[in-house]
């Protein structure tokens, strides 16, 4: 078997053009231009690339964006003041604080300071709680991108065995929750594996859909994957051979039913979902 390549870039491009159309209609109907404020603290090169890509994608969809670049030795109080200013700026609909933050700053405090109605990353506890209860305001971008990929590629999730490797707040926990929730792109039977999981291979081999967000290059190899499984690779790592994922693509692709490439898989979908959330934030900001 040779796996079907799940082309995240193509799906993201379709979604981005849908959002561009909807944004243009929203602007015409309401005279409001959706705007994202991105906050970048420090000089992390990967974060700089991600934020630049997000801003370019906004521009292409007709969404305004502004970047607040701050030095890595910034005091936590200064960052909290900026977040507060953005919360009160009516022209800003979405606020994104790029992670990771310097270790001198409490990520938890900063994410909690973002007004939940502008929290386009869906990291605020109120939005996490709403997602868990199946009544989301915003869905977190990477998990939402994965779910959209599954839906749009007609990969059934209802009743299927999903294994998620990784329990991060950004990907592992929310994707497990969303796929287990009721509704389209949900209703799966989900298992979460992590660094303390025993007999990991035995569990991952039961997966009909395997989602890998462990943050370790080429961690998943052929013996961990069931023949015909759908494999979603969330990882991205720079290596001597270029960008690689959390999945050893060369050994897994021949036996998988479908697999996301790295790059060009999950990454582009994350950006598309940020646009979707920013437009939604602007829609929610209108007076009732
Ligand atoms: N760092 C890694 N992924 C993300 C994300 O989805 N949002 C933000 N803000 N930072 C990140």
């Amino acid at each position: 078997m040779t796996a079907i390549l799940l082309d995240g870039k193509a799906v993201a491009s379709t979604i981005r053009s849908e959002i561009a159309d909807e944004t243009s209609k929203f602007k015409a109907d309401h005279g409001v231009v959706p705007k994202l404020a991105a906050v970048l603290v420090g000089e992390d090169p990967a974060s700089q690339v991600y934020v630049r890509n997000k801003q370019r994608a906004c521009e292409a969809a007709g969404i305004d964006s502004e970047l607040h670049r701050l030095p890595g030795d910034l005091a936590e109080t200064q960052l909290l003041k900026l977040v507060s200013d953005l919360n009160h700026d009516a022209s800003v609909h979405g606020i994104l604080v790029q992670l990771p933050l310097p270790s001198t700053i409490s990520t938890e405090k900063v994410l909690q300071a973002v007004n939940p109605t502008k929290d386009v990353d869906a990291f605020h506890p109120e939005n996490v709680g709403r997602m868990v209860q199946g009544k989301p305001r915003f869905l977190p971008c990477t998990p939402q991108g994965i779910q959209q990929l599954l839906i749009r590629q007609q990969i059934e999730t209802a009743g299927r065995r999903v294994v998620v490797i990784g329990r991060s707040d950004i990907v592992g926990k929310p994707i497990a929750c969303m796929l287990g929730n009721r509704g389209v792109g949900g209703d799966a039977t989900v298992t979460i594996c992590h660094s303390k999981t025993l007999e990991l291979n035995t569990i991952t081999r039961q997966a009909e859909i395997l989602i890998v967000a462990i943050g370790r290059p080429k961690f998943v190899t052929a013996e961990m994957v069931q023949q015909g499984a759908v494999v979603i690779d969330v990882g991205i790592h720079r290596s001597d051979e270029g960008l690689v994922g959390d999945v050893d693509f060369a050994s897994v692709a021949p036996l998988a039913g479908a697999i996301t490439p790295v790059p060009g898989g999950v990454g582009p979908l994350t950006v598309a979902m940020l646009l979707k959330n920013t437009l939604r934030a602007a829609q929610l900001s209108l007076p009732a």
Side-chain angles (χ1 to χ4, degrees):
M1 178 183 292
T2 300
I4 295 166
L5 209 57
L6 297 170
D7 188 346
K9 204 169 158 189
V11 174
S13 163
T14 304
I15 295 173
R16 282 170 59 168
S17 90
E18 290 169 8
I19 294 164
D21 290 348
E22 210 184 323
T23 301
S24 148
K25 185 167 182 315
F26 176 82
K27 289 200 256 187
D29 287 350
H30 304 287
V32 173
V33 182
K35 181 153 110 182
L36 175 75
V39 179
L40 178 59
V41 184
E43 305 289 330
D44 179 59
S47 290
Q48 292 184 34
V49 173
Y50 293 145
V51 169
R52 196 179 318 129
N53 287 343
K54 289 169 185 179
Q55 284 200 283
R56 285 198 186 133
C58 280
E59 196 183 312
I63 293 172
D64 275 355
S65 75
E66 61 184 34
L67 174 61
H68 299 264
R69 289 192 74 131
L70 302 165
D73 59 0
L74 174 90
E76 186 180 276
T77 47
Q78 289 173 286
L79 182 53
L80 291 170
K81 166 79 169 62
L82 172 62
V83 170
S84 169
D85 290 347
L86 296 172
N87 283 342
H88 290 101
D89 182 342
S91 76
V92 168
H93 303 99
I95 301 171
L96 174 143
V97 181
Q98 185 65 29
L99 303 181
L101 290 172
S103 56
T104 48
I105 293 177
S106 161
T107 302
E108 190 183 351
K109 243 192 221 173
V110 172
L111 296 182
Q112 288 202 22
V114 175
N115 182 328
T117 65
K118 298 190 177 190
D119 172 35
V120 287
D121 265 322
F123 291 163
H124 189 284
E126 181 179 315
N127 287 320
V128 176
R130 294 178 71 120
M131 183 260 308
V132 170
Q133 293 183 336
K135 296 176 284 193
R137 176 189 283 126
F138 304 111
L139 289 168
C141 298
T142 301
Q144 189 181 183
I146 295 168
Q147 191 175 45
Q148 280 299 313
L149 182 67
L150 295 173
I151 292 170
R152 288 172 184 250
Q153 300 284 343
Q154 274 133 29
I155 295 168
E156 183 59 80
T157 51
R160 297 189 79 189
R161 263 191 294 257
V162 174
V163 174
V164 177
I165 310 182
R167 55 176 159 182
S168 69
D169 289 343
I170 297 183
V171 184
K173 272 190 264 184
I175 190 65
C177 179
M178 287 163 59
L179 295 183
N181 273 353
R182 289 177 202 277
V184 177
D187 292 319
T189 302
V190 184
T191 303
I192 307 181
C193 299
H194 46 73
S195 55
K196 299 286 193 295
T197 297
L198 302 177
E199 298 185 33
L200 178 66
N201 292 14
T202 308
I203 299 171
T204 59
R205 284 180 69 89
Q206 291 172 11
E208 295 168 278
I209 301 173
L210 180 62
I211 299 178
V212 192
I214 186 91
R216 288 164 63 173
K218 297 190 179 184
F219 179 80
V220 167
T221 49
E223 60 274 14
M224 299 171 73
V225 179
Q226 178 187 128
Q227 179 97 25
V230 173
V231 179
I232 307 289
D233 187 351
V234 182
I236 187 153
H237 313 272
R238 237 170 266 283
S239 80
D240 294 344
E241 35 182 310
L243 294 174
V244 298
D246 287 356
V247 175
D248 179 22
F249 188 89
S251 82
V252 172
L255 74 130
I259 187 166
T260 56
V262 175
V266 172
L269 288 157
T270 298
V271 177
M273 293 306 128
L274 176 67
L275 305 181
K276 182 164 181 242
N277 285 351
T278 304
L279 174 59
R280 178 159 165 74
Q283 289 164 337
L284 291 173
S285 77
L286 296 175

